[in-house]
Amino acid sequence: MRIVDVTQIASGPYATSMLGDFGADVIKIEPIVGDPLRQIDEVFGKGESAYSFSVNRSKRAISVNLKSSEGQQILHRLLKDADVLVTSMRPSATSKLGLEYATLAPRYPRLIVCAITAYGDDGPLANNPGMDILAQARGGTMGTTGEPGRTPVKVAPAIADFLGSFLAMNGVLLGLRARDRDGVGQQVSINLLDGQVSLLANLATSHFKTGIPFMPQGGAQSNIVPYQVFRTSDGWIVVACLTQKFWPLLCRALGVPELADDARYVTNALRVKHRGTLVPYLEQIFATRTTAEWIAALEPHDVPCAPVNRLHEVFDDPQVAHNRMLLNLRHPRHGDFHTTANPIHLSRTPAAPFGYPPDIGEHTYEVLSEFGYDVAALDALRAAGVIRDASREG
């Protein structure tokens, strides 16, 4: 499978990287000045952001001025043999570059065109600037976070961008499967806003049935008790009695088995009603021991629980380590660096991430030579400012 990647926000590059992990030939096309994502931070140096490093493995990079007629010719030479085109920009920008599905479909009827946008292909906000934090805000995610009565909180991981990447990847694979059946490509439309709204499924159903607005609960759940974060003597722990069977198990593990039969707390509905007395009582108990001690006490009783791991603790978690979710890659200038591994596990054809996030246009000559351009032609295009190849720079 060959993918042409013309993306400039995190959701697109990460989607194509994950597909590259599984063997797709991903050719990323960047502007001559490089993907703006490269400028997010300077962790690896100017123009080499950690953000870009985290989402651009398992692909080759070429640098082409797609606004030029020669650049358009290069693009169409790639699309002739491509299975998928992935874009991530405003619809107006996609249209100016001739990358929208309606334009490409007559020429490439088998092509899957995955368009990732902030708000959708059309509509009142379609061409507004969009990004992760805006999608979190407008899509409701931010409105459900934070402590009661306090400022809404952004989810620190770029949840709109990365959910968008998984939706894009799924959409591409669905499109390809349908093409296998019908012989015809189609457009896959993904937008960050819809992804965030989709996360509200369980909250929305309750709201529309009861008419009661959802109010942020911080580390708790509005309709289940206990289902929240508790402070321990040295950190935090989550305890989640999702179903009734876990309540007596928790009471026994805490050393207060009689609490399970207290008339105020025998059902979840009653525990929610009497949250004001039950939660402070549980908080006093959890504050007496460390997080590790409580995990050791609760797990043998089959009580759903987890430590609240900070970022520096996550990759030392025994299950995370067992799942091999820390990926080590090697860069020719920066040496070893780490990022998260592909979370999709296949038994026969597992992910095999390769390489490192390439420099701007690092593979321009290599890739375009595969599409019939000789060195003289590439030199002329480079001299004219149509292409760039970092490997040819001093």
Side-chain angles (χ1 to χ4, degrees):
M1 174 171 60
R2 174 164 285 153
I3 300 173
V4 176
D5 174 351
V6 188
T7 59
Q8 297 184 15
I9 57 176
S11 53
Y14 191 50
T16 56
S17 280
M18 288 192 292
L19 290 165
D21 288 346
F22 286 102
D25 178 18
V26 180
I27 301 172
K28 180 177 176 65
I29 304 179
E30 294 186 72
I32 298 298
V33 295
D35 183 344
L37 202 63
R38 292 182 181 274
Q39 308 299 328
I40 294 292
D41 57 70
E42 296 186 354
V43 170
F44 287 89
K46 188 174 179 62
E48 297 185 295
S49 72
Y51 211 138
S52 180
F53 268 49
S54 71
V55 297
N56 277 308
R57 67 175 182 260
S58 298
K59 62 184 68 173
R60 298 186 289 172
I62 69 173
S63 184
V64 180
N65 178 8
L66 293 179
K67 296 179 181 179
S68 67
S69 59
E70 298 93 337
Q72 283 285 310
Q73 291 173 15
I74 291 171
L75 170 68
H76 284 282
R77 193 172 293 195
L78 268 61
L79 291 179
K80 183 179 179 181
D81 293 321
D83 297 289
V84 181
L85 169 68
V86 183
T87 66
S88 60
M89 56 190 77
R90 304 186 204 196
S92 58
T94 304
S95 179
K96 286 179 182 178
L97 292 174
L99 298 177
E100 72 274 24
Y101 179 72
T103 299
L104 296 173
R107 189 169 180 178
Y108 310 108
R110 290 176 55 81
L111 186 66
I112 305 299
V113 178
C114 178
I116 305 171
T117 62
Y119 301 117
D121 300 323
D122 48 35
L125 300 179
N127 285 302
N128 282 21
M131 55 201 72
D132 178 86
I133 193 171
L134 302 181
Q136 286 197 35
R138 188 176 290 273
T141 299
M142 195 179 297
T144 65
T145 66
E147 296 293 333
R150 302 190 67 180
T151 304
V153 176
K154 174 189 175 295
V155 178
I159 190 171
D161 279 336
F162 288 111
L163 175 60
S165 72
F166 285 103
L167 295 174
M169 184 174 65
N170 283 332
V172 164
L173 296 176
L174 287 168
L176 289 169
R177 188 65 185 92
R179 191 188 71 177
D180 290 343
R181 181 189 64 201
D182 306 328
V184 181
Q186 61 182 299
Q187 174 156 325
V188 175
S189 295
I190 303 295
N191 71 77
L192 306 188
L193 176 63
D194 288 357
Q196 293 306 279
V197 174
S198 74
L199 295 176
L200 304 177
N202 64 321
L203 302 180
T205 299
S206 177
H207 164 68
F208 284 106
K209 176 64 175 177
T210 66
I212 301 172
F214 177 86
M215 301 302 292
Q217 299 293 319
Q221 177 81 5
S222 61
N223 57 356
I224 306 174
V225 174
Y227 194 94
Q228 66 184 79
V229 179
F230 290 99
R231 182 185 288 276
T232 66
S233 64
D234 70 342
W236 304 87
I237 190 172
V238 165
V239 173
C241 291
L242 179 63
T243 62
Q244 181 62 27
K245 74 173 185 176
F246 295 118
W247 172 240
L249 299 177
L250 172 63
C251 294
R252 285 198 291 273
L254 295 179
V256 285
E258 68 279 3
L259 193 63
D261 299 320
D262 189 309
R264 295 170 295 175
Y265 311 134
V266 290
T267 67
N268 180 64
L270 288 170
R271 291 193 293 277
V272 172
K273 180 179 180 180
H274 296 287
R275 178 196 301 267
T277 56
L278 176 58
V279 171
Y281 178 67
L282 295 176
E283 288 175 335
Q284 291 178 3
I285 296 175
F286 280 110
T288 62
R289 300 168 73 175
T290 68
T291 299
E293 289 171 337
W294 278 122
I295 295 293
L298 298 177
E299 285 185 342
H301 288 270
D302 200 34
V303 176
C305 61
V308 179
N309 287 331
R310 304 293 189 177
L311 178 60
H312 64 277
E313 299 168 322
V314 169
F315 297 98
D316 291 327
D317 185 282
Q319 189 63 50
V320 175
H322 175 82
N323 292 350
R324 299 180 180 177
M325 280 304 297
L326 184 62
L327 176 65
N328 180 76
L329 295 173
R330 175 163 292 183
H331 191 277
R333 290 192 308 278
H334 301 290
D336 289 351
F337 70 97
H338 298 87
T339 187
T340 54
N342 199 310
I344 300 171
H345 306 284
L346 300 184
S347 63
R348 187 173 61 83
T349 57
F354 68 88
Y356 55 87
D359 289 337
I360 300 171
E362 180 173 339
H363 303 99
T364 301
Y365 273 55
E366 173 188 311
V367 170
L368 296 187
S369 67
E370 296 172 7
F371 287 84
Y373 289 89
D374 59 31
V375 173
L378 293 172
D379 285 342
L381 289 169
R382 185 160 71 96
V386 176
I387 65 172
R388 180 180 177 186
D389 190 320
S391 69
R392 303 263 167 170
E393 298 174 359

